[in-house]
């Protein structure tokens, strides 16, 4: 918007200078004003192009950073998944070992109970038989 205001002002000044007379000086002043307006327009266009290029570079840098961050997050998630799986495997192995130990202890108790019952039955049989002297 500011560029349009400057151009309009330059056109008005150029018209005023041209309207002041037909002398060579006023024609030269009008031509110099037109050249100055054209130079300002080219400078504004060049500045706009530089801003556009800079913005594109900034977008590229941001996109590149986002990609790297995404890859790091993905790698971190994969590492976390491996650690979690390792922990789950250890818990499962511990549970299997505890179950096997429990089964073994149950068999030992069962065998001891069976031996105790057999010993008690043998004692009962021994007590039920009349002693012969």
């Amino acid at each position: 918007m500011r560029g349009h205001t400057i151009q309009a002002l330059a056109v008005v000044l150029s018209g005023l200078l041209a309207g002041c007379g037909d002398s060579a000086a006023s024609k030269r002043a009008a031509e110099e004003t037109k050249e100055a307006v054209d130079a300002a327009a080219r400078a504004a266009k060049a500045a706009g192009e530089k801003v556009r290029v800079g913005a594109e570079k900034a977008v590229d840098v941001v996109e590149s950073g986002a990609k790297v961050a995404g890859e790091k997050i993905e790698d971190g998630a994969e590492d976390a998944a491996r650690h979690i799986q390792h922990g789950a495997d250890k818990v499962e192995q511990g549970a299997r070992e505890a179950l096997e130990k429990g089964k073994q202890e149950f068999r030992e108790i069962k065998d001891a109970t069976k031996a105790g019952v057999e010993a008690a039955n043998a004692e009962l049989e021994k007590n039920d038989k009349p002693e012969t002297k």
Side-chain angles (χ1 to χ4, degrees), residues 10-39:
V11 168
V12 168
L13 287 175
S14 178
L16 285 174
L17 289 174
C20 287
D22 289 331
S23 69
S26 61
K27 286 183 181 180
R28 190 177 68 240
E31 187 61 34
E32 288 175 358
T33 302
K34 184 178 180 306
E35 288 175 8
V37 168
D38 290 344

Side-chain angles (χ1 to χ4, degrees), residues 77-95:
E78 288 172 358
D79 286 346
R82 279 193 296 276
H83 288 299
I84 291 168
Q85 184 61 48
H86 180 69
D89 291 345
K90 285 179 118 180
V91 168
E92 183 179 2
Q93 181 62 33

Side-chain angles (χ1 to χ4, degrees), residues 22-119:
D22 289 331
S23 69
S26 61
K27 286 183 181 180
R28 190 177 68 240
E31 187 61 34
E32 288 175 358
T33 302
K34 184 178 180 306
E35 288 175 8
V37 168
D38 290 344
R42 285 191 303 272
K45 186 175 182 180
E49 182 64 19
K50 286 181 180 180
V51 168
R52 185 189 61 77
V53 168
E56 287 175 352
K57 286 181 182 178
V59 167
D60 290 344
V61 168
V62 169
E63 286 176 348
S64 176
K67 183 179 178 185
V68 169
E71 290 170 355
K72 287 184 178 186
I73 289 170
E74 187 176 328
D75 290 346
E78 288 172 358
D79 286 346
R82 279 193 296 276
H83 288 299
I84 291 168
Q85 184 61 48
H86 180 69
D89 291 345
K90 285 179 118 180
V91 168
E92 183 179 2
Q93 181 62 33
R96 288 178 194 268
E97 290 173 1
L99 177 64
E100 191 56 42
K101 184 177 178 182
K103 285 180 180 179
Q104 181 62 34
E105 288 175 357
F106 178 76
R107 283 190 289 269
E108 290 173 3
I109 291 169
K110 182 178 165 189
D111 291 345
T113 303
K114 186 177 179 183
V117 168
E118 289 174 358

